């Protein structure tokens, strides 16, 4: 409880001191559309790929009083806390309490914690799956377990389209349990069937989204992403991550071979996951690999954040692999080591809270306003479509009327490899004021202008260089630069 209270407090305060990035701004804008028909039109148009179920939860969160930066992230914070509870309860059902607490600390020390501060559905999805696993583990103990399992599994699928793939982990685990017990639990299978309803209801919208964005999606699926996903989750090299994941696969295979062996009462084997529980943990663990293969076959997109249900497999699989030590004195030493890591991270989190400023202040755009004053009246083109939406939100009010995004789908796909964010901004411009101008129209209207180059999918700067525009550097900060741009043809006419 102390861990949960501390994590909630730090994340709650941290949310108020962190500005939204591009994807979160989509969440903010789309969830704000009123009346509901306008919101529904935006979802159908494909402004965002998040399902309507997640947006209904966010819209409910928006009704709470307080800072919007907190309320929009509150579902993710609660999803993270549900993940901690789920891991603790699932492990504690079969292993000593030390193992459950160790699993909690593993989650808090993982990169997954960052997604508790994102106004997107990934943390919420994992939280719903974690509680679903706990309820599935206890089906038969109480009457409400089966309908509660159906509810949370449905909520998981409602929070992200790809969560329907996670149902396969429950289905395979339940099938193993059915074969061992020689008894079909019809309530479990009905719950899995009910949970698919949100996916099939949203399927027409999802197919339209794939047709619109699939060919030039910003992150096309490739088989190598399965390995890199585990590497990023574990914070280690991809090869070492692959070895560890393969090792757990061997452990699961060994468990399958030992399934028919009798268990001696009073032995250390009493403190063990059942075979079906081990299969469920393995299903979570291999979720990213299966998802990569599936999205590759469907010619769809994949990014590492889609595979976060694997954190359940990583945490539970880790405490399972060392299950023998929880009954020995070494278990306390391991837990203390994890607690030290947690305390160290907590200190860093508190330090960052004191140093962080207001979420409404973003130095990138205040400095941009300063440089634009040297060339008053000139339009300011933001080369990156993702940065344009952020600049439109956080730049000083006197600068916003000068901000422009230049759009051209063919050049965006050719020079940056994707036109996903450009298409998204064009769709969003149907519902909120955005100054997006077609390339040909912009060229005809402006011979001289300012450009902020750099950032994700900045094709426009490459286009300027390719067409021999005159770029004069005004400033440079990290990966971004600020130029005064003039067409060469203007100089020739002047001469």
């Amino acid at each position: 409880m102390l861990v949960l209270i501390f994590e909630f407090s730090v994340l709650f305060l941290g949310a108020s001191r962190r500005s939204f990035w591009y994807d979160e701004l989509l969440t903010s804008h789309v969830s704000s559309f009123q009346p509901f028909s306008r919101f529904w039109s935006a979802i159908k148009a494909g402004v965002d790929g998040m399902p309507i179920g997640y947006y209904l939860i966010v819209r409910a969160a928006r009704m709470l009083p307080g800072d919007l930066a907190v309320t929009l992230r509150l579902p993710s914070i609660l999803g993270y806390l549900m993940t901690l509870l789920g891991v603790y309860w699932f492990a504690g059902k079969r292993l000593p309490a030390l193992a459950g607490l160790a699993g909690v600390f593993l989650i808090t020390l993982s990169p997954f914690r960052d997604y508790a501060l994102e106004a997107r559905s990934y943390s919420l999805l994992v939280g719903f799956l974690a509680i679903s696993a706990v309820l599935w583990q206890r089906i038969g103990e109480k009457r409400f377990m089966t309908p509660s399992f159906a509810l949370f599994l449905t909520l998981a699928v409602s929070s992200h389209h790809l969560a329907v793939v996670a149902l396969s982990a429950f289905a395979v685990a339940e099938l193993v349990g059915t074969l061992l017990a020689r008894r079909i639990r019809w309530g479990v299978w009905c719950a899995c069937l009910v949970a698919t309803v949100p996916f099939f209801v949203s399927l027409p919208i999802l197919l339209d989204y794939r047709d619109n964005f699939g060919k030039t999606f910003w992150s096309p699926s490739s088989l190598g992403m399965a390995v890199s996903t585990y590497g990023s989750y574990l914070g280690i090299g991809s090869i070492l991550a692959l070895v560890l994941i393969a090792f757990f696969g061997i452990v699961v295979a060994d468990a399958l071979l030992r399934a028919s062996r009798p268990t001696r009462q009073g032995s250390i084997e009493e403190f063990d996951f059942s075979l079906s529980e081990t299969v469920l943990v393995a299903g979570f663990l291999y979720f990213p690999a299966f998802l990569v293969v599936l999205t590759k076959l469907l010619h769809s997109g994949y990014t590492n954040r889609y595979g976060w249900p694997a954190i359940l497999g990583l945490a539970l699989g880790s405490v399972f692999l060392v299950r023998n030590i929880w009954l020995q004195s070494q278990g306390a030493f391991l837990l203390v080591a994890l607690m030290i890591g947690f305390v160290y991270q907590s200190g860093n989190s508190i330090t960052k809270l004191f140093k962080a400023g207001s979420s409404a202040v973003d130095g990138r755009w205040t400095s941009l306003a300063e440089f634009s004053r040297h060339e008053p009246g000139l339009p300011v083109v933001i080369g990156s479509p993702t940065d344009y939406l952020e600049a439109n939100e956080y730049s000083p009010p006197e600068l916003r009327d000068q901000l422009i995004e230049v759009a051209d789908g063919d050049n965006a796909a050719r020079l940056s490899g994707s036109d996903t964010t450009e298409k998204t901004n064009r769709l969003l411009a149907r519902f909120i004021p955005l100054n997006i101008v077609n390339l040909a129209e912009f060229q005809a209207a402006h011979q001289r202008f300012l450009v902020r180059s750099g950032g994700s999918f900045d094709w426009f700067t490459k286009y300027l260089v390719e067409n021999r525009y005159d770029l004069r550097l005004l400033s440079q900060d990290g990966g971004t630069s600020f130029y005064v741009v003039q067409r060469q043809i203007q100089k020739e006419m002047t001469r």
Side-chain angles (χ1 to χ4, degrees):
M1 289 305 298
L2 286 174
V3 172
L4 291 176
I5 292 170
F6 176 83
E7 288 289 86
F8 176 79
S9 302
V10 171
L11 292 170
F12 188 90
L13 292 173
S16 65
R17 290 165 168 79
R18 183 169 168 175
S19 59
F20 291 136
W21 70 290
Y22 180 80
D23 283 12
E24 291 180 298
L25 287 174
L26 292 179
T27 302
S28 176
H29 288 303
V30 174
S31 65
S32 70
F33 293 157
Q34 296 291 354
F36 187 84
S37 58
R38 184 165 175 257
F39 160 74
W40 180 242
S41 296
I43 293 293
K44 289 179 65 178
V47 172
D48 190 17
M50 287 290 163
I52 187 173
Y54 170 68
Y55 270 114
L56 292 178
I57 295 173
V58 174
R59 283 169 70 89
R62 288 185 74 104
M63 298 178 185
L64 299 174
D67 185 358
L68 190 64
V70 175
T71 55
L72 288 186
R73 289 169 172 144
L74 191 58
S76 294
I77 294 174
L78 296 179
Y80 172 74
L81 297 180
M82 283 193 294
T83 302
L84 299 184
L85 281 170
V87 167
Y88 181 77
W89 285 334
F90 190 95
K93 177 71 173 176
R94 305 298 182 197
L95 302 173
L98 290 179
L101 194 54
V104 168
F105 285 134
L106 288 173
I107 297 287
T108 64
L109 295 172
S110 73
F112 175 70
R113 186 176 186 269
D114 294 336
Y115 285 81
L117 282 177
E118 242 189 48
R120 303 296 277 175
S121 70
Y122 308 108
S123 175
L124 192 60
L125 160 64
V126 177
F128 284 143
L129 288 176
I131 300 301
S132 297
V134 171
L135 293 168
W136 172 84
Q137 188 186 43
R138 289 160 171 77
I139 286 176
E141 296 181 5
K142 302 287 184 180
R143 289 185 178 180
F144 65 83
M145 291 296 177
T146 301
S148 298
F149 170 66
L151 172 63
F152 275 88
L153 204 58
T154 303
L155 289 172
V157 178
S158 300
S159 62
H160 199 281
H161 298 298
L162 294 176
V164 73
V165 180
L167 296 181
S168 61
F170 288 96
V172 174
E174 184 63 22
L175 181 61
V176 169
T178 298
L179 294 175
L180 291 176
R182 297 182 180 179
R183 180 173 62 89
I184 299 176
R185 299 194 297 183
W186 292 108
V188 176
W189 293 105
C190 289
C192 291
L193 185 62
V194 169
T196 64
V197 171
F199 172 78
F200 286 109
V201 169
S202 301
L203 188 58
I205 297 175
L206 186 60
L207 292 176
D208 287 343
Y209 187 86
R210 188 191 68 171
D211 292 341
N212 192 22
F213 293 96
K215 293 181 180 179
T216 54
F217 189 71
W218 70 273
S219 182
S221 182
S222 66
L223 297 180
M225 287 181 168
V227 179
S228 64
T229 296
Y230 293 112
S232 65
Y233 289 178
L234 295 171
I236 59 178
S238 297
I239 300 300
L240 180 57
L242 183 61
V243 171
L244 292 176
I245 300 304
F247 176 71
F248 187 77
I250 295 173
V251 172
V252 174
D254 178 66
L256 289 169
L257 292 175
R258 293 187 295 107
S260 59
R261 297 178 186 176
T263 301
R264 292 177 298 167
Q265 295 296 320
S267 72
I268 200 170
E269 292 179 349
E270 290 180 13
F271 297 95
D272 205 347
F273 290 162
S274 69
L275 183 60
S276 58
E277 290 167 354
T278 305
V279 171
L280 179 63
V281 172
F284 288 137
L285 185 65
Y286 292 107
F287 177 79
F290 181 55
L291 193 58
V292 165
V293 173
L294 185 63
T295 52
K296 180 69 175 176
L297 293 174
L298 295 175
H299 304 287
S300 185
Y302 175 86
T303 184
N304 288 352
R305 66 180 74 108
Y306 293 170
W308 268 122
I311 194 64
L312 299 175
L314 289 170
L316 293 170
S318 296
V319 299
F320 172 75
L321 288 176
V322 295
R323 58 194 179 280
N324 291 348
I325 75 166
W326 302 119
L327 301 179
Q328 305 168 10
S329 59
Q330 293 92 329
F333 292 120
L334 178 57
L335 185 64
V336 168
L338 291 172
M339 288 180 65
I340 291 173
F342 175 74
V343 171
Y344 177 77
Q345 176 179 265
S346 301
N348 287 339
S349 298
I350 293 173
T351 302
K352 289 179 181 178
L353 281 178
F354 283 109
K355 290 182 178 179
S358 170
S359 62
V361 177
D362 194 323
R364 293 177 298 170
W365 313 122
T366 53
S367 60
L368 179 62
E370 290 294 330
F371 287 116
S372 66
R373 292 191 184 102
H374 296 293
E375 298 285 346
L378 289 183
V380 180
V381 179
I382 307 297
S384 165
T386 58
D387 286 357
Y388 170 74
L389 193 60
E390 295 174 30
N392 188 71
E393 184 75 17
Y394 293 112
S395 61
E398 66 271 14
L399 177 64
R400 292 178 193 176
D401 290 339
Q402 296 175 248
L403 297 179
I404 292 177
E405 178 190 339
V406 178
D408 186 279
D410 292 337
N411 279 306
R414 180 175 65 88
L415 295 172
S416 69
S418 173
D419 61 354
T420 302
T421 51
E422 183 174 297
K423 283 182 178 178
T424 299
N425 287 357
R426 284 188 173 189
L427 290 171
L428 185 61
R430 300 179 187 175
F431 301 91
I432 65 172
L434 294 176
N435 195 5
I436 301 176
V437 182
N438 290 326
L439 176 61
E441 181 183 343
F442 179 82
Q443 287 177 316
H446 301 286
Q447 301 293 329
R448 195 164 185 267
F449 49 92
L450 302 172
V451 167
R452 181 187 182 273
S453 71
S456 303
F457 311 109
D458 175 14
W459 64 268
F460 186 63
T461 304
K462 296 177 182 178
Y463 177 85
L464 296 177
V465 174
E466 184 180 74
N467 288 271
R468 300 185 179 182
Y469 278 72
D470 181 25
L471 281 73
R472 178 166 61 87
L473 182 65
L474 291 180
S475 71
Q476 198 165 18
D477 181 20
T480 61
S481 302
F482 195 41
Y483 298 98
V484 177
V485 182
Q486 186 167 326
R487 294 184 68 178
Q488 293 285 4
I489 186 173
Q490 177 70 20
K491 287 187 172 183
E492 293 171 5
M493 290 175 64
T494 302
R495 291 172 187 167

